[in-house]
Amino acid sequence: PPPYQPGDALYVRETWAEMPYGFVYRADEERPEGWEVDDCWRPSIHMPRAAARIFLRVTAVKAARLQEVEKEDVLREGVEPKYYAGGCKCAWAFEGCMEKPCANRDGYIDLCHWMPFSELWDKTVKPADRSAYGWEANPWVWVIEFERIGKEEV
C-alpha cells in the first residue's frame, strides 16, 4: 500500500533548534545569535510537529519505475539540468545546433536532466543497496504529488 493517501497532511522536517523566543531553522541562519559552536542544531528526524513551519497536502500518489522520470519531474524535485560542454555532439554541434532542426536535441536535453538526477539518486542509496535501489536497478518508487498549505489548514 502507498505510504500516503491524497488528502493527507504532512509536515516538512528541518534541522532546527529551540530558543527561548521560539524555533530557529538551519536553512535560515548558520548559528543562532549568542551560540559559540554549531552543536546546537538538532537533526530533522527529531523535529516535533509543533516546530514545523512547512506543511503539505498530498494531492496524488502512484507507483512508477524510477527511470520513467520526466524532465518536469526532475525540475519539481529541485534538480537543475546540467548542460555539457560541446552540446549533444551531433552533426550540427559546431554550426549552431540549438538554432537548427536536430534529431538528437531531445535526447540531449533529456540527458541533461536525467544525469544530475540519477547521480543525486545514487548518492542517497548505500553502495551495498545500489544493485536493488540504485538508478541502474530502475526500482519501483512512490511518486507523491503535493501542494503547500498553511499550518491552519492541517
Side-chain angles (χ1 to χ4, degrees):
Y4 305 106
Q5 297 293 325
D8 287 352
L10 311 174
Y11 70 99
V12 176
R13 297 173 190 231
E14 304 178 67
T15 301
W16 61 289
E18 189 168 7
M19 302 294 289
Y21 53 84
F23 298 105
V24 292
Y25 306 90
R26 182 93 186 242
D28 292 341
E29 53 187 287
E30 279 304 306
R31 182 181 301 137
E33 191 176 318
W35 285 13
E36 298 299 321
V37 294
D38 247 354
D39 62 359
C40 61
W41 297 113
R42 299 185 67 190
S44 58
I45 195 163
H46 298 299
M47 182 184 204
R49 188 180 199 100
R53 61 181 177 163
I54 301 171
F55 295 86
L56 309 171
R57 171 124 19 249
V58 175
T59 58
V61 180
K62 68 178 182 176
R65 288 290 203 173
L66 178 60
Q67 291 181 18
E68 290 176 3
V69 66
E70 301 285 340
K71 292 179 291 202
E72 296 76 17
D73 300 325
V74 169
L75 295 172
R76 281 193 290 268
E77 289 291 333
V79 177
E80 293 292 326
K82 179 180 177 185
Y83 297 99
Y84 298 88
C88 65
K89 309 284 189 214
C90 70
W92 300 100
F94 300 104
E95 300 177 30
C97 172
M98 298 308 278
E99 290 82 40
K100 297 181 178 184
C102 177
N104 296 329
R105 185 174 308 120
D106 286 344
Y108 168 69
I109 297 299
D110 287 346
L111 177 75
C112 293
H113 286 73
W114 291 330
M115 286 302 293
F117 180 76
S118 68
E119 291 166 4
L120 177 63
W121 181 271
D122 279 346
K123 286 179 184 175
T124 67
V125 177
K126 294 178 189 175
D129 293 338
R130 286 198 186 128
S131 63
Y133 303 110
W135 176 260
E136 290 300 319
N138 196 23
W140 285 94
V141 296
W142 289 112
V143 178
I144 302 169
E145 296 182 25
F146 53 85
E147 62 186 0
R148 191 166 178 171
I149 59 174
K151 189 172 190 171
E152 64 282 351
E153 296 177 68
V154 177

